[in-house]
Amino acid sequence: MRVVMIGPPGAGKGTQARMLGERFGVPQVSTGDMLRDAQREATPLGREAQRYMDEGRLVPDDIVIGIVERRLAADDSGPGFILDGFPRTVAQAEALDAMLARRGTPLDAAVAVDVPRADLIERLAGRLVCRTCGTMFHRTFDPPATSAVCDRCGGELYQRADDREDRITRRLDQLAKEVTPVAEYYRRGHLLRTIDGTGSRDEVLRRITASLPA
Ligand code: AMP
């Protein structure tokens, strides 16, 4: 199963990508996570990306396309992948198509998760992420059993710099500009599935699974 998840930050893309990956036995590949790993390790690429990410701007296409290309060449991506946070520009979508065409493994679907803007702000401002395993929690809607500790692995939970309230509006404005052309690109290719992202995680997962090819 080869799927890309598109949609705004906070729409639940990451959570759904993780659940879909587990369901289909394929890796969830998140460009945001890979870029944050590179930052943590302070690689040259990580330092370059940080300037953009801290301001809620997109990292340049050539950097992100290179990361995805290397990741999809890994053995565990053979049976497929759930790409989360990529592509975010039409140039990235075209580069992905070219990569997959070279391997003879075209995309099965592009899933757009749709959530009203007011809900997105509420979700992002309360979001907590595990530093060790990347699992997401929410202060109000999905709190961890122990404050600031990950239920899954015991890692430390933190608020991403770009989830601070002053940065969220900027990211949401950015996303309106980025999601529409990418969604259009996949609509033209008849791969777009627009899914209502409101309701419980399991409800959203059921809607997505029902929309995917058998
Ligand atoms: P995310 O975790 O998907 O919300 O991504 C966090 C940040 O990483 C974004 O605000 C961008 O700065 C950067 N980023 C992640 N994926 C991409 C991408 N496909 N293209 C450009 N920048 C990206």
Side-chain angles (χ1 to χ4, degrees):
M1 182 62 70
R2 288 175 294 278
V3 174
V4 299
M5 307 288 293
I6 57 181
K13 270 188 312 196
T15 304
Q16 293 298 328
R18 193 182 298 277
M19 291 163 84
L20 280 172
E22 282 166 12
R23 166 76 59 95
F24 292 108
V26 297
Q28 171 212 12
V29 175
S30 155
T31 43
D33 285 350
M34 290 191 286
L35 290 166
R36 279 184 289 279
D37 285 348
Q39 268 183 32
R40 208 174 15 251
E41 290 157 17
T43 62
L45 184 150
R47 278 197 292 273
E48 168 79 8
Q50 181 149 20
R51 307 194 277 135
Y52 299 93
M53 293 173 73
D54 282 353
E55 292 175 10
R57 289 194 292 148
L58 286 183
V59 174
D61 284 338
D62 54 340
I63 298 184
V64 184
I65 290 168
I67 294 181
V68 170
E69 186 140 37
R70 286 191 292 278
R71 179 64 184 84
L72 295 191
D75 285 348
D76 68 340
S77 296
F81 51 79
I82 311 293
L83 260 173
D84 161 20
F86 181 96
R88 273 170 143 108
T89 64
V90 171
Q92 292 178 13
E94 288 170 347
L96 177 64
D97 275 350
M99 269 178 236
L100 296 177
R102 281 197 293 277
R103 294 158 32 139
T105 53
L107 208 59
D108 292 303
V111 173
V113 185
D114 193 30
V115 173
R117 185 177 167 105
D119 293 7
L120 292 177
I121 294 176
E122 201 177 18
R123 287 185 185 192
L124 285 169
R127 186 157 83 162
L128 296 169
V129 187
C130 175
R131 247 184 235 291
T132 310
C133 71
T135 300
M136 307 258 192
F137 297 84
H138 190 283
R139 284 187 222 288
T140 316
F141 306 136
D142 184 18
T146 310
S147 165
V149 178
C150 176
D151 289 349
R152 236 182 175 196
C153 77
E156 181 200 355
L157 301 183
Y158 76 109
Q159 182 179 43
R160 278 170 41 176
D162 56 358
D163 280 347
R164 294 206 333 244
E165 230 157 323
D166 54 330
R167 310 254 172 101
I168 291 176
T169 322
R170 179 170 183 165
R171 282 171 76 207
L172 290 179
D173 291 342
Q174 170 68 43
L175 91 88
K177 281 193 230 129
E178 75 189 46
V179 173
T180 314
V182 174
E184 259 321 299
Y185 177 87
Y186 287 118
R187 194 192 311 279
R188 282 198 302 278
H190 308 289
L191 287 175
L192 186 68
R193 312 276 182 270
T194 302
I195 304 296
D196 171 7
T198 59
S200 74
R201 292 169 174 199
D202 289 334
E203 274 163 3
V204 180
L205 182 66
R206 266 196 296 279
R207 287 181 204 129
I208 296 177
T209 313
S211 80
L212 295 176

